[in-house]
């Protein structure tokens, strides 16, 4: 075979490092001088590559991966075949993520703000000074008697073992997240119905009928990738998929049938399907009788008004299709699954939409069955599996309005889901004063509804956020508004105990470990917290009496048994994956309780209880004289009726009979005939905010025109590529409700005219339209700015070949639709109603 | 072991029905070779067909088809393109970047790397095959849509066909259920266009 000398030349910038105390401006125009060196590709060196198991984190699915390393450089990645979820497969994002390590615009030094906040003027300091600064601020705040004024805000935080420890240690309950922007209605619907605290796990490989309400699992993350793999196998074996989605996603496009309902009507469709299934007598009577908390008669009574005709009116679909699909679905039971995601849950009525869909599985008896709507096979990654290092700080016992707004009583009932989209509004209003704001893995200006306006105005205002420390890998939309930036480790340079919902229904976990050394001053944020904790001193430092996050993780894994003569830690470092020796967890509710579990228990109304600290805690149910585990709901049954929901609704003065009724959100019910609904979505090559700098991903998707149906476009005289102005309005119910068409914002964007979207819906994807983060996310060719806070690397690619740069006639870097999407928390849970935005459009001249 | 010592004849078979359009194959491929932006050994093409509400989306992973009697090989002025083990490959020592091969290929599967000035195209990841590994694209493909097999196994794939864009094409890489209309996204003599990624190009031109 020939000599493969297919080197790609890469230029490395030779540059004097910024001296301590030196100042830089991150809006400077000065360019670095480049020296050329050659860089080896994976293809040149595959025979002698070093393979190190670790875990991808380019999205939240955390797939087991093997880094392919040569001389301290990660040249590529491949899937870890031992990972039971993904069997050695990786998505495009995983490969694109490699470029994050030597990204030319990566942050290398801690930077202290010197100009006005948001002006981009910075001074390099040492990591030790930076940690001392944070420690001093926090110490002062604790000493002032208000530890809750220290706020921690994270997005895809996978190291909550150390971040929660830190917040407990300093005594602040204010841990904020992004759950309500993501999946809180879906999770709440699962908790209410089946009492499970993880994502449900369709047993996709064995499923023969996929009834999909708004999940784009072939593209978007949130655990979709392992399901995609199993779906393709099932499809090859003849499985059918029907997708309800307002937009032709890849998932919809790959389905046997795509039906586009009017937004928010998913619940009506599901209820009508349930109605049909009950009406035609094709339900699983035994399951309903044994396991549901309502009888067949009660169920029929509840479903009576929800006829296919009713659903047809709400959704615009054909009643015959709804009936036909319902019966097809039921005929595949129990190897069939009805499931959801943002298409159905990101609405004001999303909670009941999702409850209605999940209920379909109960009435046909596919809950927990082979090929059905499974759940509960995952490993908990908390203290129970991997004990935290002693001493453990006590949990903070009080809460504040920031992380626990009482007007959303279901937000934190089962799990701390929070109502993230309200946080910046609350900070601005000083409902809960803030002294220190720590941000990590979050890019609120980019990803929050009204992020570019509301989040930015709070972040900029020193009177409401006196001190903001941000740990990040690139100079991000968030870092720009910090007072102190800590250069973080990429996910290739740190440890984490990881795992997701087990698609094989057998508990497993994976270990992320560093595959290359950290460069310059970069440090894992977990390590920063340990050092800050040590510097705070006093009672706080006792909880950080270890050297590093690695030592902490090693300690947590010390309880693992030996395998193959290796300690748990060594085993995990060698293989990266651990699968428990257990059977598939089908029908977990039918598990018998052991004598040990039943010790000191008592039975009331067939529910088995234990007394814990004087409180009754249900642990199972008696079924035909046997003690079974049941569902982890109050009744230990599948709950169609929910007392919890009824109580929560009463607390905020809402009428609710506890059943998952369908109510169209007011804005959508009263939408004028010339108005449309703006929705938003994700691409298969991007996550919300962290992938735009990755060149091979942004090369594929860098632009996000607004999708408009062909017929609609014709009405407005809009052709492909025309500029369209979109005006959005506040919702007519809920937060800042207004009947008067209050404008949220206006945005001009070019049109993508397509057959693949509902005529009353327009869609703009998220993930794009960045202002910071380097040349790739901004679609700007050119030399690298001479900013010594950045990596010493540069690539020819970045200088000349960003072909989508507008100056080369390309499409540019897209827009951020969040400037016009209103903050719109749904009632009870607080999930952001992403897909409810009423708007009007007009064609404008280019 | 050297590839030339192996008697195997490799074939790539792509089952378009399985593909979910995830783009992992092409990103893995670019990472494998540190390929420059704007140039592709392989691309996953998208195509929407039908009218609302009956619309479908199809995908087509497409790369060099390792043609028998390959047009690019004949066009090469430096005898830098050789055919071994079922793989049409560029000898980077001989290639002088003249670009005659580009003009010859009916689908645009070959390009000259603007930085190294050497022609590049899919070579079935010969460097991986020779040490018993799967190509980067096959290894990552979540749907197992891409497979490398040996010629003798071909009979298992009776429904697989070469994707042609000229009557004289003799592709050895085979596709199952590829839609011929996708050819409108490819142009003889022009390397795969990055514009295929712009969603404006997804719909079928009528
Ligand atoms: S799905 Fe997410 S975690 Fe898995 S490989 Fe892709 S980016 Fe990585
Ligand atoms: S990796 Fe596989 S499924 Fe994904 S686009 Fe390529 S061929 Fe299709
Ligand atoms: S597909 Fe094109 S580049 Fe590949 S062998 Fe055939 S003619 Fe040559
Ligand atoms: S076989 Fe190798 S070179 Fe060819 S498309 Fe796949 S990854 Fe690229």
């Amino acid at each position: 075979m020939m000599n493969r000398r297919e080197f790609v030349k890469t230029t490395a910038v030779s540059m004097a490092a910024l001296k301590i105390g030196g100042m830089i401006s991150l809006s400077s125009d000065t360019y670095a001088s480049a020296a050329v060196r050659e860089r080896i590709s994976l293809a040149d060196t595959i025979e002698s590559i070093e393979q190190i198991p670790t875990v991808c984190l380019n999205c939240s699915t955390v797939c087991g991966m093997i880094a392919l390393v040569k001389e301290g450089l990660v040249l590529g990645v491949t899937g870890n075949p031992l990972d039971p979820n993904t069997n050695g497969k990786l998505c495009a994002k995983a490969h694109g993520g490699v470029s994050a390590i030597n990204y030319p615009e990566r942050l290398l030094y801690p930077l202290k703000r010197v100009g006005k906040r948001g002006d981009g003027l910075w001074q390099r300091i040492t990591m030790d000074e930076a940690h001392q600064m944070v420690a001093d601020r926090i110490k002062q705040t604790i000493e002032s008697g208000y530890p809750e004024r220290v706020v921690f805000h994270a997005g895809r935080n996978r190291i909550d073992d150390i971040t929660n420890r830190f917040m407990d240690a300093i005594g602040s309950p204010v841990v904020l997240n992004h759950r309500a922007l993501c999946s809180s209605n879906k999770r709440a619907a699962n908790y209410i119905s089946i009492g499970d605290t993880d994502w449900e796990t369709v047993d996709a490989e064995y499923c023969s009928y996929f009834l999909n309400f708004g999940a784009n699992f072939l593209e978007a993350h949130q655990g979709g990738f392992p399901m995609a793999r199993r779906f393709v196998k099932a499809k090859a074996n003849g499985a059918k998929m029907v997708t309800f989605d307002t937009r032709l996603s890849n998932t919809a496009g790959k389905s046997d049938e795509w039906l586009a309902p009017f937004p928010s009507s998913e619940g009506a469709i599901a209820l009508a399907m349930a109605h049909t299934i009950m009406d035609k007598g094709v339900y699983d009577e035994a399951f309903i009788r044994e396991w549901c908390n309502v009888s067949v008669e009660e169920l029929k009574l509840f479903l009576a008004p929800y006829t296919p005709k009713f659903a047809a009116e709400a959704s615009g679909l054909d009643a015959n299709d709804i009936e036909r699909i319902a019966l097809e679905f039921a005929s595949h039971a129990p190897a069939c699954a009805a499931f959801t995601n943002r298409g159905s849950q990101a609405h004001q009525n999303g909670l009941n939409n999702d409850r209605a869909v999940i209920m379909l599985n109960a009435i046909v008896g596919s809950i927990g069955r082979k090929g059905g709507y499974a759940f509960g096979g995952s490993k908990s990654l908390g203290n129970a599996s991997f004990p935290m290092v002693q001493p453990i700080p006590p949990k903070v016992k009080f809460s504040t309005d920031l992380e626990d707004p009482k007007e959303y009583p279901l937000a934190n009932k089962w799990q701390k889901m929070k109502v993230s989209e309200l946080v910046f509004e609350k900070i601005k209003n000083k409902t809960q004063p803030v002294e220190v704001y720590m941000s990590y893995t979050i890019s609120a200006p980019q990803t929050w509804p009204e992020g570019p306006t509301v989040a930015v105005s709070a972040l900029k205002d020193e009177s409401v956020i006196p001190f903001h420390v941000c740990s990040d890998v690139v100079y991000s939309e968030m870092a720009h508004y910090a007072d102190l930036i800590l250069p973080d480790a990429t996910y290739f340079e740190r440890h984490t105990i990881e795992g997701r919902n087990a698609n094989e229904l057998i508990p497993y976990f994976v270990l992320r470990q560093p595959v290359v050394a950290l460069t310059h001053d970069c440090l894992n944020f977990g390590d920063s917290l340990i050092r800050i904790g040590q510097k705070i001193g006093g009672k706080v430092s006792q909880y950080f009496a270890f050297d590093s996050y690695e030592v902490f993780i090693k300690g947590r894994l010390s309880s693992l048994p030996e395998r193959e003569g290796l300690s748990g830690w060594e085993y995990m470092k060698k293989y990266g994956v651990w699968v428990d020796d257990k059977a598939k967890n089908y029908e977990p509710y039918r598990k018998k309780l052991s004598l040990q579990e039943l010790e000191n228990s008592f039975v009331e109304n067939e529910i088995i209880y234990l007394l814990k600290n004087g409180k009754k805690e249900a642990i199972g149910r008696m079924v035909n004289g046997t003690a079974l585990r049941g569902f982890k709901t109050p009744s230990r049954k599948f709950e169609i009726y929910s007392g919890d929901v009824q109580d929560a609704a009463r607390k905020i003065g809402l009428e609710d009979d506890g059943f998952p009724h369908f109510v169209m959100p007011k804005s959508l019910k009263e939408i004028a005939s010339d108005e449309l609904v703006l929705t938003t979505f994700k691409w298969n090559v991007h996550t919300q905010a962290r992938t735009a700098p990755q060149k091979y991903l942004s090369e594929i998707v860098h632009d996000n025109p607004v999708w408009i149906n062909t017929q609609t476009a014709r009405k407005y005289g809009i052709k492909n590529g025309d500029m369209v102005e979109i005006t959005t309005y506040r919702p007519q119910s809920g937060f800042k409700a207004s009947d008067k068409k209050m404008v949220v914002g206006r945005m001009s964007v070019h049109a993508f005219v397509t057959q693949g979207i509902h005529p009353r819906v327009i869609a703009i994807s998220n993930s794009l339209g960045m202002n910071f983060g380097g040349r790739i996310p901004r679609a700007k060719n050119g030399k690298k700015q001479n900013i010594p806070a950045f990596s010493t690397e540069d690539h020819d690619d970045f200088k000349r070949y960003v072909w989508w740069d507008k100056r080369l006639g390309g499409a540019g870097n897209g827009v951020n639709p969040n400037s016009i999407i209103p903050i719109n928390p749904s009632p009870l849970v607080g999930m952001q109603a992403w897909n409810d935005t009423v708007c009007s459009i007009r064609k404008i001249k280019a | 072991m050297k590839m030339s010592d192996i008697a195997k004849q490799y074939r790539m078979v792509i089952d378009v029905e399985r593909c979910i359009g995830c783009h992992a194959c092409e990103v893995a491929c670019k990472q494998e070779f540190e390929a420059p932006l704007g140039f592709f050994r392989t691309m996953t093409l998208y195509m929407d067909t039908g009218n609302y509400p009956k619309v479908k989306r199809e995908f087509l992973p497409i790369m060099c088809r390792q043609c028998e009697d390959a047009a690019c090989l004949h066009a090469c002025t430096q005898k830098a393109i050789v055919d071994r083990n079922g793989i049409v490959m560029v000898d980077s020592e001989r290639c002088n970047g003249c670009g005659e091969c580009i003009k010859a290929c009916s689908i645009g599967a070959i390009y000259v790397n603007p930085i190294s000035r050497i022609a590049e195209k899919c070579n079935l990841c010969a460097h991986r095959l020779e040490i018993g590994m799967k190509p980067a694209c096959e290894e990552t493909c979540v749907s197992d849509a891409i497979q490398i097999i040996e010629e003798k196994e071909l009979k298992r794939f009776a429904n697989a066909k070469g994707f042609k864009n000229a009557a004289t094409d003799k592709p050895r890489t085979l596709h199952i259920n590829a839609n011929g209309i996708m050819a409108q996204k490819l142009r003889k003599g022009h390397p795969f266009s990055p514009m295929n990624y712009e969603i404006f190009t997804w719909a079928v031109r009528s």
Side-chain angles (χ1 to χ4, degrees):
Chain A
M1 173 149 189
M2 79 236 171
N3 175 358
R4 275 174 280 96
R5 195 184 46 83
E6 297 181 11
F7 288 161
V8 175
K9 287 204 176 73
T10 303
T11 57
V13 175
S14 65
M15 192 163 55
L18 178 67
K19 295 204 179 63
I20 306 279
M23 291 206 326
I24 55 162
S25 158
L26 290 184
S27 50
S28 129
D29 265 343
T30 42
Y31 295 119
S33 62
V36 176
R37 75 171 164 83
E38 282 190 343
R39 178 143 156 198
I40 297 172
S41 73
L42 197 51
D44 298 310
T45 184
I46 193 97
E47 312 96 301
S48 58
I49 206 87
E50 192 188 349
Q51 307 203 9
I52 309 174
T54 183
V55 184
C56 183
L57 188 56
N58 220 11
C59 87
S60 57
T61 310
V62 298
C63 304
M65 132 182 128
I66 294 173
L68 306 173
V69 183
K70 180 87 178 187
E71 288 161 14
L73 284 177
V74 179
L75 298 184
V77 291
T78 186
N80 187 340
L82 299 176
D83 183 323
N85 262 9
T86 50
N87 317 116
K89 298 300 182 179
L90 294 175
C91 83
K93 296 187 288 289
H95 299 284
V98 172
S99 72
I101 309 167
N102 297 307
Y103 184 59
E105 278 100 345
R106 180 172 173 183
L107 289 167
L108 300 179
Y109 302 109
L111 296 173
K112 184 177 122 183
R113 171 172 70 87
V114 281
K116 275 218 317 258
R117 192 184 283 168
D119 275 0
L121 201 60
W122 301 91
Q123 183 180 34
R124 181 183 160 190
I125 57 174
T126 66
M127 212 51 171
D128 198 56
E129 285 171 309
H131 291 150
Q132 192 64 52
M133 248 172 101
V134 183
D136 290 346
R137 283 283 188 156
I138 293 177
K139 198 170 165 202
Q140 274 169 28
T141 312
I142 299 173
E143 281 166 2
S144 74
Y146 300 104
E148 68 277 18
R149 293 183 180 179
V150 178
V151 170
F152 173 66
H153 200 174
R156 193 195 309 145
N157 174 18
R158 304 297 299 170
I159 55 167
D160 64 357
D161 50 4
I162 198 78
T163 57
N164 286 345
R165 184 185 189 91
F166 185 86
M167 294 304 282
D168 286 338
I170 65 169
S172 170
V174 191
V175 175
L176 306 173
N177 61 13
H178 69 193
R179 177 66 53 76
L181 307 185
C182 172
S183 57
S184 62
N185 265 343
K186 178 180 174 64
R187 288 185 189 246
N190 269 329
Y191 298 153
I192 290 163
S193 311
I194 59 178
D196 194 55
T197 55
D198 203 339
W199 296 330
E200 79 284 358
T201 311
V202 172
D203 191 23
E205 188 165 351
Y206 305 105
C207 179
S208 64
Y209 201 94
F210 294 80
L211 190 53
N212 173 17
F213 289 85
N216 187 9
F217 70 95
L218 295 184
E219 279 193 86
H221 63 87
Q222 269 192 18
F225 192 65
M227 180 163 165
R229 177 153 181 80
R230 287 162 178 79
F231 162 75
V232 173
K233 285 190 189 173
K235 189 172 157 64
N237 289 329
K240 179 170 180 179
M241 176 151 73
V242 175
T243 292
F244 296 91
D245 201 324
T246 57
R247 185 187 67 94
L248 188 80
S249 64
N250 284 0
T251 310
K254 251 326 224 195
S255 299
D256 298 275
E257 287 186 62
W258 169 50
L259 294 102
F262 187 74
S264 294
S265 68
E266 293 82 0
I269 299 165
L271 292 175
M273 288 188 166
H275 178 107
T276 304
I277 291 166
M278 297 308 291
D279 201 41
K280 302 284 190 233
V282 290
Y283 52 90
D284 183 338
E285 189 176 356
F287 184 87
I288 298 175
R289 190 169 6 90
E290 220 166 87
W291 288 107
C292 291
N293 72 340
V294 298
S295 67
V296 166
E297 291 66 37
E298 286 167 315
L299 189 54
K300 283 187 172 166
L301 201 61
F302 157 59
L303 292 169
Y306 299 111
T307 60
K309 188 163 165 281
F310 171 90
E313 271 157 26
S315 67
L317 299 177
D318 188 332
N320 293 324
D321 282 338
I322 295 172
E323 260 188 36
R324 173 180 56 82
I325 293 165
L327 297 176
E328 272 176 28
F329 170 74
S331 75
H332 285 261
C336 62
F339 54 98
T340 69
N341 216 319
R342 230 170 268 178
S344 64
Q345 59 127 358
H347 297 292
Q348 283 207 353
N349 62 356
L351 175 64
N352 279 0
N353 282 349
D354 276 33
R355 286 173 68 198
V357 174
I358 299 165
M359 181 183 77
L360 284 171
N361 299 295
I363 67 176
V364 301
S366 77
I367 299 278
R369 299 289 298 274
K370 185 171 181 181
Y373 191 84
F375 64 98
S378 310
K379 196 173 187 76
S380 122
L381 302 179
N383 197 41
S385 308
F386 308 110
M388 300 295 171
V389 175
Q390 295 288 342
I392 301 172
K395 287 264 161 257
V396 181
K397 291 254 164 50
F398 64 98
S399 71
T400 80
D401 187 49
L402 270 184
E403 84 287 359
D404 189 15
K406 304 290 183 287
E407 65 271 31
Y408 297 91
L410 292 183
N412 294 326
K413 183 167 170 60
W414 304 274
Q415 204 189 52
K416 298 228 178 309
M417 302 200 291
K418 332 281 163 94
V419 185
S420 340
E421 65 274 42
L422 288 176
V423 159
F424 294 103
E425 226 6 267
K426 286 181 185 282
I427 288 178
K428 273 173 68 173
N429 298 340
K430 296 198 179 195
T431 38
Q432 164 62 41
V434 172
E435 282 297 330
V436 177
Y437 178 81
M438 298 193 280
S439 65
Y440 172 61
T441 58
I442 130 171
S443 192
Q446 177 71 22
T447 56
W448 251 241
E450 300 182 59
T453 46
V454 175
V456 165
S457 77
L459 288 167
K460 258 184 158 167
D461 188 344
E462 290 177 47
S463 75
V464 296
I465 299 181
F467 182 70
H468 172 190
V469 51
C470 170
S471 186
D472 214 327
V473 175
V474 299
Y475 189 73
S476 62
E477 313 290 309
M478 201 69 177
H480 183 68
Y481 298 105
D483 302 313
L484 179 65
I485 305 175
L486 304 176
D488 208 340
T490 67
Y491 59 85
F492 289 94
E493 299 153 331
R494 55 194 178 90
H495 289 90
T496 324
I497 299 174
E498 281 285 16
R500 272 295 175 190
N501 53 325
N503 282 255
E504 286 301 301
L505 304 171
I506 300 170
Y508 84 102
F509 80 101
V510 282
L511 178 70
R512 177 173 302 114
Q513 62 178 327
V515 299
V516 285
L518 273 166
T519 179
H520 296 77
D521 287 358
C522 297
L523 190 67
N524 175 16
F525 182 59
D527 283 299
S528 278
L529 285 181
I530 292 166
R531 294 188 197 173
I532 293 165
Q534 289 165 350
K535 284 186 190 297
I536 293 172
K539 280 192 201 130
V540 174
S541 58
Q542 64 179 309
Y543 303 114
F544 300 97
F546 36 84
D547 283 345
S548 66
Y549 189 63
E550 174 173 355
V551 172
F552 176 73
I553 290 294
K554 202 171 165 182
R556 290 196 63 202
L557 290 182
S558 62
S559 60
L560 276 179
E562 271 196 5
R563 266 194 186 177
E564 296 185 3
L566 299 171
S567 71
W569 171 253
E570 287 163 348
Y571 181 90
M572 288 309 290
K573 287 198 78 85
K574 181 168 176 196
Y575 295 108
V577 180
W578 182 286
V579 183
D580 281 357
D581 196 7
K582 282 192 179 157
K584 275 186 189 264
N585 194 23
Y586 288 124
E587 298 182 89
Y589 46 93
R590 286 194 200 271
K591 291 247 154 65
K592 283 191 186 138
L593 290 171
S594 67
L595 284 176
Q596 202 184 344
E597 285 168 311
L598 287 169
E599 209 175 326
N600 297 325
S601 67
F602 58 98
V603 178
E604 276 174 24
N605 294 326
E606 304 205 324
I607 301 178
I608 309 165
Y609 294 99
L610 275 182
L611 271 184
K612 269 201 184 152
N613 308 324
K615 268 198 191 157
K616 279 202 310 193
E617 194 189 285
I619 59 160
R621 280 187 63 213
M622 295 303 295
V623 180
N624 305 326
T626 316
L628 303 183
R629 210 190 83 163
F631 292 91
K632 289 185 186 163
T633 56
S635 62
R636 303 305 283 190
K637 290 183 174 177
F638 182 100
E639 295 213 343
I640 294 175
Y641 157 82
S642 168
D644 277 352
V645 173
Q646 203 173 15
D647 291 348
R650 206 172 286 137
K651 267 190 206 151
I652 55 168
L654 291 179
E655 278 290 327
D656 196 310
D657 68 2
F659 281 85
H661 286 282
F662 176 77
V663 182
M664 186 64 97
K666 190 161 183 265
S667 308
L668 297 182
K669 196 169 174 187
E670 296 178 8
I671 187 168
S673 60
D674 59 346
E675 289 169 341
L676 304 170
V677 184
L678 169 66
T679 63
T680 179
F681 67 96
K682 255 189 225 149
W683 297 97
N684 49 12
V685 295
H686 282 301
T687 60
Q688 224 90 346
R690 303 181 76 76
T691 48
Q694 297 165 8
K695 62 179 182 177
Y696 291 147
L697 302 181
S698 276
E699 173 170 46
I700 296 175
V701 174
H702 39 262
D703 182 28
N704 55 348
V706 56
W707 295 44
I708 301 178
N709 178 283
T710 315
Q711 302 159 30
T712 312
R714 197 171 299 137
K715 261 192 256 165
Y716 288 87
I718 295 167
K719 290 192 298 297
N720 246 339
D722 282 351
M723 287 306 281
V724 173
E725 185 189 69
I726 304 167
T727 305
T728 55
Y729 306 107
R730 293 247 166 243
Q732 294 188 34
S733 55
F735 180 74
K736 286 194 179 170
S738 155
D739 281 331
K740 297 211 186 65
K741 294 285 162 218
M742 283 270 291
V743 172
V744 181
R746 290 197 170 84
M747 165 178 266
S748 298
V749 52
H750 60 171
F752 166 48
V753 177
T754 172
Q755 301 283 354
I757 194 164
H758 189 288
R760 296 300 303 278
V761 176
I762 61 174
I764 309 181
S765 85
N766 52 35
S767 313
L768 303 169
M770 304 264 173
N771 302 301
F772 302 101
R775 285 162 290 177
I776 298 289
R778 300 175 64 218
K780 293 252 187 289
N781 273 296
K783 285 193 206 161
K784 188 165 80 162
Q785 292 184 331
N786 189 10
I787 294 166
F790 291 158
S791 135
T792 51
E793 293 269 332
D794 202 7
H795 303 303
D796 280 327
D797 262 359
F798 287 47
K799 282 186 251 162
R800 281 192 286 272
Y801 301 116
V802 183
W803 54 267
W804 58 99
D805 185 331
K806 275 195 173 156
R807 294 166 303 181
L808 294 182
N813 72 336
V815 296
N816 179 1
N818 280 317
S819 55
I820 60 167
I821 299 177
I823 295 169
N824 188 3
S826 64
L828 296 170
V829 178
M831 169 78 197
Q832 165 69 11
W834 287 114
N835 298 323
D836 280 3
T837 307
V838 172
C839 68
S840 48
I841 63 169
R842 69 187 181 97
K843 182 180 164 178
I844 52 172
K845 293 215 178 71
Chain B
M1 196 181 332
K2 289 244 190 319
M3 198 62 148
S4 47
D5 302 337
I6 307 174
K8 285 179 183 167
Q9 287 292 316
Y10 293 100
R11 290 285 185 277
M12 182 182 262
V13 181
I14 298 164
D15 186 345
V16 172
E17 272 298 300
R18 295 185 81 102
C19 172
I20 60 166
C22 77
H23 296 295
C25 46
E26 61 234 61
V27 180
C29 180
K30 290 198 85 159
Q31 182 63 37
E32 182 85 8
F33 298 95
E34 300 252 1
L37 292 174
F39 297 89
F40 311 89
R41 285 165 197 253
T42 176
M43 270 194 133
T44 305
L45 304 176
Y46 278 39
M47 187 172 68
D48 288 357
T49 53
N51 288 320
Y52 184 84
K54 295 260 171 275
V55 198
K56 289 222 138 234
R57 179 161 301 146
E58 295 179 43
F59 309 111
L60 178 70
I62 185 96
M63 62 289 276
C64 165
R65 302 155 298 173
Q66 319 300 341
C67 304
E68 211 173 310
D69 229 355
C72 58
L73 183 151
H74 290 301
C76 179
T77 57
Q78 307 297 310
K79 292 200 164 46
I81 301 184
V82 294
D83 186 343
R84 277 183 212 143
N85 305 100
I87 307 171
V88 177
M89 42 187 140
V90 180
D91 180 343
S92 57
E93 297 290 338
R94 283 170 164 253
C95 174
N96 70 354
C98 72
E100 288 302 314
C101 50
I102 300 177
K103 294 185 202 157
C105 178
S106 72
I107 60 167
I110 192 162
Y111 64 87
V112 173
N113 183 318
I115 301 164
S116 67
R117 303 301 308 165
I118 293 170
E120 293 178 350
K121 64 176 203 61
C122 170
N123 61 352
L124 298 190
C125 283
H127 59 288
R128 283 173 168 249
L129 294 177
E130 75 179 346
I131 56 167
M133 287 176 76
K134 289 178 176 178
C137 55
E138 177 182 11
E139 187 171 78
T140 205
C141 176
V142 68
S143 71
D144 297 328
I146 302 173
Q147 283 183 73
I148 296 281
I149 57 160
E150 281 186 57
E151 192 181 24
K152 56 187 186 222
E153 299 168 81
L154 264 179
K155 45 188 173 302
R156 285 200 287 128
F157 301 92
N159 52 347
K161 291 204 248 332
F163 191 91
K164 292 191 180 190
N165 200 27
T168 49
D169 285 352
K170 291 183 203 158
R172 285 186 298 208
T173 287
L174 302 180
H175 284 83
I176 299 170
N177 278 328
N179 188 335
I181 305 172
M182 288 275 196
Q184 66 174 233
K185 295 171 189 284
L186 305 167
R187 276 175 73 197
K188 176 170 185 198
H190 294 268
F192 294 151
S193 168
M195 294 310 284
N196 284 322
Y197 286 140
E198 302 295 0
I199 60 178
F200 300 102
T201 67
W202 287 2
V204 189
R205 283 198 299 270
S206 40

